[in-house]
Amino acid sequence: MTSAPDLDFEVRWLPYQLNPAASEDPSSKTEMYMKKFGKTREQVQQMAQGMGDKFAAVGLPFRTEDGALVSNTYQAHRILTAAYQSGGPAAQDKAVEVIFNGYFKEGRAPNDPAMLEAAAAAAGLDGKAVLADNSTASAELKRELDLGRQIVDSGVPHFVFKNEQGKSVQFSGAHPPAQFLQAFAEVTK
């Protein structure tokens, strides 16, 4: 976005669960990847190092050592939906930063209560209250998850670029900045 300063952006983080049946109990990310991909611990560590290199190339942290956790992501998505409902894109971005830092840098489970409370607070919400009331943002989250299942066909992250007239371009996966600039150019023609 900094490469296209003449354009105005509104970023909206929509939910998508890669594994909606994932346990609420945090478990080892390394062991989950070993099972999911049929890889050895060493192979998974090499995969993690590759991801870490990609993150580092764009200035982002990524925990590559054992000890990182995975869990069900529903509660994290609920916090992000509540943040958007309450304060729009800016509030949601603040909550996303806390969750992504906790998950990618610190290796915390996506449903870590302290992390989610901090994310809600960063968005201007009462974190304890939002976590305690599972009905908060649940109906909207369900609608958004249904929409995500309709839009996403090949994985995450999935990007949709849309102009005010409704023209859109979308793609999945991590891509170099040039592909984003091409997408920006296509929707602004």
Side-chain angles (χ1 to χ4, degrees), residues 34-167:
M34 288 169 60
K35 289 176 192 166
K36 180 177 181 176
F37 298 116
K39 305 276 185 189
T40 66
R41 181 173 302 280
E42 293 73 26
Q43 290 171 318
V44 168
Q45 288 171 337
Q46 288 174 345
M47 287 171 47
Q49 187 57 54
M51 287 297 296
D53 292 345
K54 289 178 181 180
F55 273 60
V58 293
L60 297 172
F62 185 86
R63 182 175 175 163
T64 57
E65 66 274 2
D66 272 346
L69 300 172
V70 292
S71 68
N72 194 291
T73 58
Y74 182 86
Q75 294 300 330
H77 289 305
R78 190 171 67 79
I79 294 297
L80 295 178
T81 298
Y84 185 82
Q85 287 179 320
S86 169
Q92 192 180 44
D93 279 345
K94 291 174 184 173
V96 163
E97 286 294 324
V98 172
I99 292 170
F100 281 6
N101 185 65
Y103 182 70
F104 292 114
K105 179 181 180 183
E106 299 170 6
R108 294 165 86 171
N111 66 353
D112 180 284
M115 178 184 71
L116 294 179
E117 187 176 319
L125 299 168
D126 179 339
K128 284 188 189 308
V130 173
L131 283 177
D133 182 359
N134 282 324
S135 70
T136 301
S138 288
E140 180 62 19
L141 176 57
K142 182 184 178 327
R143 283 189 289 278
E144 290 177 352
L145 285 166
D146 290 343
L147 176 63
R149 284 188 284 275
Q150 293 171 20
I151 295 173
V152 178
D153 61 0
S154 62
V156 295
H158 186 86
F159 301 93
V160 178
F161 306 96
K162 189 176 354 178
N163 68 17
E164 292 171 346
Q165 292 74 40
K167 182 178 180 181

